[in-house]
Amino acid sequence: MRRSRGWPAYRSRGRFAYVTRRPVAIVLAVLLAVPLGACAPEVVRVDSAPRTTLAADSAPPAVCGSTSGPPVPGTLLSAVDVWPDAGDVAAIASDTPLTGVVCRRAVLDSVAPSPVSCSDGFPFFGQPSLPTALAGLGVTDIRQADLVRVGPNRTDSAQVTEYVLTLAGPAAAGLEALAVQCNGSQLPDIQPPVYTIRDATGEITDAVRLGYDVAVGLSFAGHEFNDATKLALLNRAVDLASFAPSG
């Protein structure tokens, strides 16, 4: 597998099941390792009467890209689009706006450009810098779907990751420059332009269509699809993305 983007939840044919990777024994061990005194509340005496005060909870600082919701139904690839006859497919999808004040502040506070990560595939940035890096390019919304076909031994046999990016300003030009930097080749006679990235064997690992307002990219792991099928899936993803709201 080329990468893992995180799996907070899995959906198999429409059912979500939240999964924890921390065994119960580990959680208990961590709890038992905490000194009892560390959990004791502070006791303050006022007029000789004991009073218990609890420290106020400190909320973690907001992070660009931390607010996500479900995408508009039917605007991203589904398991049926990719594997019409497969029964054991896990899927997760999200919609993350990048237009809020938190992302604008994160872009302004960035002291250096985020490192480009061609090995992560489109859109060529790794976590956790991906949302801020895309916001800096002019991306205003990220829709993402991860689809995994699980093999007989419960391991990943094939994965398709889809990104649909809503673009503003110079974002399209910035993403095109990244595609070229990551050895992308433009297919002839196709507009808006389509770029493909190939591995050492010549197989397509990423296929990206860069419109002025929307960019659609697919990354493939495994060897289940030939290149013609991958490009057909990209066309299907572009058709579905055209029904999504633009902002």
Side-chain angles (χ1 to χ4, degrees):
M1 296 297 297
R2 201 154 55 99
R3 54 160 174 215
S4 175
R5 297 184 184 269
W7 291 84
Y10 293 88
R11 182 179 63 190
S12 181
R13 295 301 186 188
R15 294 188 177 182
F16 280 92
Y18 286 81
V19 179
T20 177
R21 300 189 181 187
R22 300 190 182 103
V24 175
I26 295 177
V27 177
L28 290 176
V30 172
L31 292 176
L32 293 175
V34 178
L36 293 178
C39 298
E42 179 186 1
V43 177
V44 180
R45 286 187 175 272
V46 178
D47 297 332
S48 300
R51 184 181 67 187
T52 301
T53 60
L54 299 178
D57 293 335
S58 56
V63 178
C64 179
S66 62
T67 304
S68 298
V72 176
T75 59
L76 294 171
L77 290 176
S78 68
V80 175
D81 293 313
V82 181
W83 293 286
D85 302 319
D88 205 351
V89 179
I92 183 173
S94 62
D95 188 341
T96 305
L98 302 180
T99 54
V101 64
V102 174
C103 286
R104 291 197 295 271
R105 184 179 296 117
V107 171
L108 292 174
D109 291 344
S110 298
V111 296
S114 299
V116 176
S117 180
C118 296
S119 62
D120 276 311
F122 182 80
F124 313 119
F125 294 104
Q127 297 290 356
S129 63
L130 185 147
T132 301
L134 292 180
L137 286 178
V139 175
T140 61
D141 188 84
I142 302 172
R143 292 187 293 278
Q144 180 184 357
D146 283 289
L147 304 168
V148 177
R149 184 175 184 180
V150 183
N153 57 352
R154 311 305 298 173
T155 60
D156 299 351
S157 62
Q159 179 174 349
V160 177
T161 300
E162 175 186 9
Y163 276 93
V164 176
L165 308 180
T166 304
L167 312 181
L175 288 171
E176 187 170 23
L178 290 175
V180 173
Q181 181 179 340
C182 291
N183 297 318
S185 298
Q186 184 177 352
L187 297 182
D189 304 322
I190 298 179
Q191 291 295 330
V194 172
Y195 284 83
T196 59
I197 298 173
R198 300 174 183 269
D199 61 16
T201 68
E203 289 188 31
I204 291 176
T205 59
D206 295 85
V208 184
R209 185 166 182 172
L210 295 173
Y212 182 76
D213 299 318
V214 177
V216 180
L218 301 181
S219 297
F220 301 91
H223 304 281
E224 186 163 336
F225 306 113
N226 59 34
D227 288 350
T229 301
K230 293 173 181 178
L231 292 175
L233 286 173
L234 177 64
N235 289 335
R236 173 61 176 162
V238 170
D239 289 341
L240 293 172
S242 66
F243 292 100
S246 59

